[in-house]
Amino acid sequence: SAVISQKPSRDICQRGTSLTIQCQVDSQVTMMFWYRQQPGQSLTLIATANQGSEATYESGFVIDKFPISRPNLTFSTLTVSNMSPEDSSIYLCSVEGPPQAGNTIYFGEGSWLTVV
Amino acid sequence: GENVEQHPSTLSVQEGDSAVIKCTYSDSASNYFPWYKQELGKGPQLIIDIRSNVGEKKDQRIAVTLNKTAKHFSLHITETQPEDSAVYFCAASELIQGAQKLVFGQGTRLTINP
C-alpha cells in the first residue's frame, strides 16, 4: 500500500483567505485525487490530478475555487480559495496504486479545515 | 452518472455477533467495489475490495459479496469486536481514461456493544 502524508493536518482559517494543502506519497503514482468530506457526510470527488496535465474537475467544483498542482509523480497540492464557512471540511488526498496491484485507491489522513 | 445507496445509516450489534451493511449501485459499467473504515479523526482505511469478475471475497472476519445482476454488494463482519466500531463506507467505480473515480455511499456508523 501507499503511504500518503498531508499537511496541514488541521487548521483554522479566516473567512476570505486561501489555504494550500500538500500531499506527498512515498512512491511514484500516476493518478492522484482530491476528495472533500463535509462534517458528518460522505466523500465527494473534487478533481483528478495527472502529472504533467491540467486537473480534471467534477461537476460542482471549479479551478478558480480549487486550483490544483501536480508537479511530479509523488506530490500534489490543493488550494481552497477565498474560503467561507461552507468550505469547512476534511480534504482528502488519495492515490491509485499500480495496475499490478489492482488500481487500489488509498487515502491520506486528511486535512481538517475550519473556516471562521 | 453512478449513484450508490448504503443501508443502514446506523447499526448497533452485540460484541461477537455479525454485522451486515448493504449497498446498491446504478451504473452497470462499474467494476470495482471497495469498502473503507473511517475511525474518528482519521482518513478512510481500505478494508476489503471486490471486482466485478468475482462474486465473493473473504479476509479473516471480513467478507464482501457482489451480485452484479441485482447491482448490490454487501459487507459482512463476523465475531465483531469493540475495535470494529467506526463509520464504514462502500464505493463503486469504473475505470475511466485510466482513472478509478470512486462514488461513495452515505456511510454506516457501526457500534459494537460490549
Side-chain angles (χ1 to χ4, degrees), chain A residues 2-14:
Chain A
V3 177
I4 304 167
S5 303
Q6 283 188 235
K7 292 181 181 179
S9 56
R10 288 181 184 275
D11 208 339
I12 299 173
C13 308
Q14 294 296 319

Side-chain angles (χ1 to χ4, degrees), chain A residues 31 33 48 96 105, chain B residues 93-102:
Chain A
M31 293 291 179
F33 306 88
T48 303
E96 185 173 323
I105 304 292
Chain B
S93 83
E94 179 189 2
L95 193 63
I96 301 174
Q97 296 180 329
Q100 201 80 248
K101 298 184 180 184
L102 297 176

Side-chain angles (χ1 to χ4, degrees), chain B residues 56-72:
Chain B
E56 184 173 357
K57 185 177 179 180
K58 190 173 182 180
D59 182 4
Q60 298 182 3
R61 297 187 296 110
I62 296 173
V64 57
T65 59
L66 171 65
N67 183 326
K68 283 171 51 180
T69 304
K71 296 204 205 62
H72 67 70

Side-chain angles (χ1 to χ4, degrees), chain A residues 87-108:
Chain A
D87 294 319
S88 297
S89 293
I90 308 168
Y91 292 88
L92 293 148
C93 172
S94 75
V95 304
E96 185 173 323
Q100 56 267 34
N103 296 98
T104 304
I105 304 292
Y106 301 101
F107 283 85

Side-chain angles (χ1 to χ4, degrees), chain B residues 10-105:
Chain B
T10 61
L11 180 60
S12 183
V13 303
Q14 288 298 120
E15 181 178 355
D17 289 350
S18 297
V20 180
I21 302 171
K22 299 182 179 181
C23 289
T24 60
Y25 61 99
S26 61
D27 190 347
S28 57
S30 289
N31 56 12
Y32 177 59
F33 307 92
W35 285 88
Y36 292 88
K37 175 184 181 182
Q38 188 174 30
E39 296 175 311
L40 194 62
K42 296 191 174 182
Q45 176 192 4
L46 178 72
I47 56 172
I48 196 167
D49 58 9
I50 192 167
R51 298 193 179 271
S52 58
N53 58 347
V54 176
E56 184 173 357
K57 185 177 179 180
K58 190 173 182 180
D59 182 4
Q60 298 182 3
R61 297 187 296 110
I62 296 173
V64 57
T65 59
L66 171 65
N67 183 326
K68 283 171 51 180
T69 304
K71 296 204 205 62
H72 67 70
F73 56 113
S74 301
L75 177 71
H76 304 253
I77 306 174
T78 59
E79 300 172 23
T80 54
Q81 301 166 4
E83 51 266 36
D84 294 329
S85 294
V87 179
Y88 290 80
F89 291 97
C90 65
S93 83
E94 179 189 2
L95 193 63
I96 301 174
Q97 296 180 329
Q100 201 80 248
K101 298 184 180 184
L102 297 176
V103 176
F104 282 84

